[in-house]
Amino acid sequence: MLKEARAAFDEHGIDTSLEDVARRAGVGIGTLYRHFPARDSLLEAVLRDRFDALTEHGRALLREPEERPVLLDWSRSLAEMATTYRGLTGALMGTLRDEKSDLHASCEAMRRTGAALLRREQEAGRVRADVDTAEFLALLHGAAWAGEQAFDGASDRRDKLVALVLDGLAPARSGAAAG
C-alpha cells in the first residue's frame, strides 16, 4: 500500500485522492482507513524514511570538521525533500506547530537537527546571530515553495534560491550597508 501511496503522491502531490491510493493498492477505501485513519497517518508512513534520512544527513554533517560550512548542504537537502511532493512545504510548516499531527515527531527531529546546524554556523560566525530556527526554516521552506511554484521544482533554481537565502543570512561585512 505504501508503494502505491508514494506513486500517487509523486504524481499528484500531497492532496492526492485517498480513493486513488486505495484503488492503486487494490484495496477498498475502508481497508486504507483501517491502516491509516487520517491523511497525515499515510503521509507520515510514506515520508518517514525521507525525514529520517534528512535527520541522519544533518547529524553526519555535524560530525564534519567545524571549519567546513555545512548548512548549505543540509538546506539544499531539506528543500529537495520539501519539493518532492507538491504541497508538502505547507504541510511541513503546519506540522511543526501542530503537536497532535502524525507528522509532528518526524518534523521535530528534523527541526532539532536544523537548529543544531544553524547554531554551529552562527558560532563559527558564518550566519547572523539574530536568526532563530523558526525564521531559518521559514526562509528555507519559502525558497523551496517559490522554486516549486515558479520553476516546476527545477533543482538548479531551487538550489539557487536556497543559496540566496543563506547568503542573506551571512553577517554584514565591515563597510557593508546595514539593513
Side-chain angles (χ1 to χ4, degrees):
M1 217 175 324
L2 289 178
K3 179 181 174 186
E4 292 81 4
R6 277 186 197 96
F9 288 132
D10 281 347
E11 189 175 330
H12 301 290
I14 66 164
D15 292 327
T16 194
S17 157
L18 296 183
E19 287 81 8
D20 182 40
V21 172
R23 191 173 30 261
R24 286 175 185 239
V27 299
I29 192 68
T31 301
L32 179 71
Y33 278 115
R34 271 193 300 282
H35 291 279
F36 304 102
R39 175 180 298 279
D40 281 353
S41 301
L42 181 59
L43 263 175
E44 212 248 353
V46 167
L47 296 172
R48 181 174 297 160
D49 290 342
R50 290 176 190 249
F51 290 161
D52 291 348
L54 183 59
T55 299
E56 186 48 45
H57 176 58
R59 290 175 181 157
L61 290 170
L62 286 167
R63 293 188 293 270
E64 291 281 327
E66 290 192 19
E67 61 275 1
R68 179 176 176 260
V70 295
L71 196 59
L72 180 59
D73 188 346
W74 187 82
S75 298
R76 283 182 173 153
S77 296
L78 174 66
E80 178 183 356
M81 190 271 307
T83 56
T84 299
Y85 303 122
R86 283 186 315 280
L88 183 59
T89 299
L92 288 176
M93 291 307 293
T95 59
L96 284 172
R97 292 183 295 273
D98 182 4
E99 293 180 12
K100 294 177 183 159
S101 165
D102 291 336
L103 291 172
H104 180 75
S106 296
C107 286
E108 186 60 26
M110 283 191 316
R111 189 201 65 76
R112 284 191 308 271
T113 301
L117 290 161
L118 177 63
R119 268 191 314 278
R120 172 184 158 148
E121 298 296 288
Q122 288 171 321
E123 289 167 1
R126 293 186 285 260
V127 171
R128 295 169 44 154
D130 65 334
V131 176
D132 68 25
T133 303
E135 294 163 339
F136 167 65
L137 291 175
L139 288 168
L140 286 181
H141 282 288
W145 180 86
E148 180 180 60
Q149 300 304 306
F151 309 110
D152 274 341
S155 63
D156 57 335
R157 292 293 185 135
R158 181 193 60 229
D159 288 350
K160 182 176 182 180
L161 291 172
V162 168
L164 288 169
V165 165
L166 290 182
D167 286 349
L169 295 178
R173 292 183 302 265
S174 146

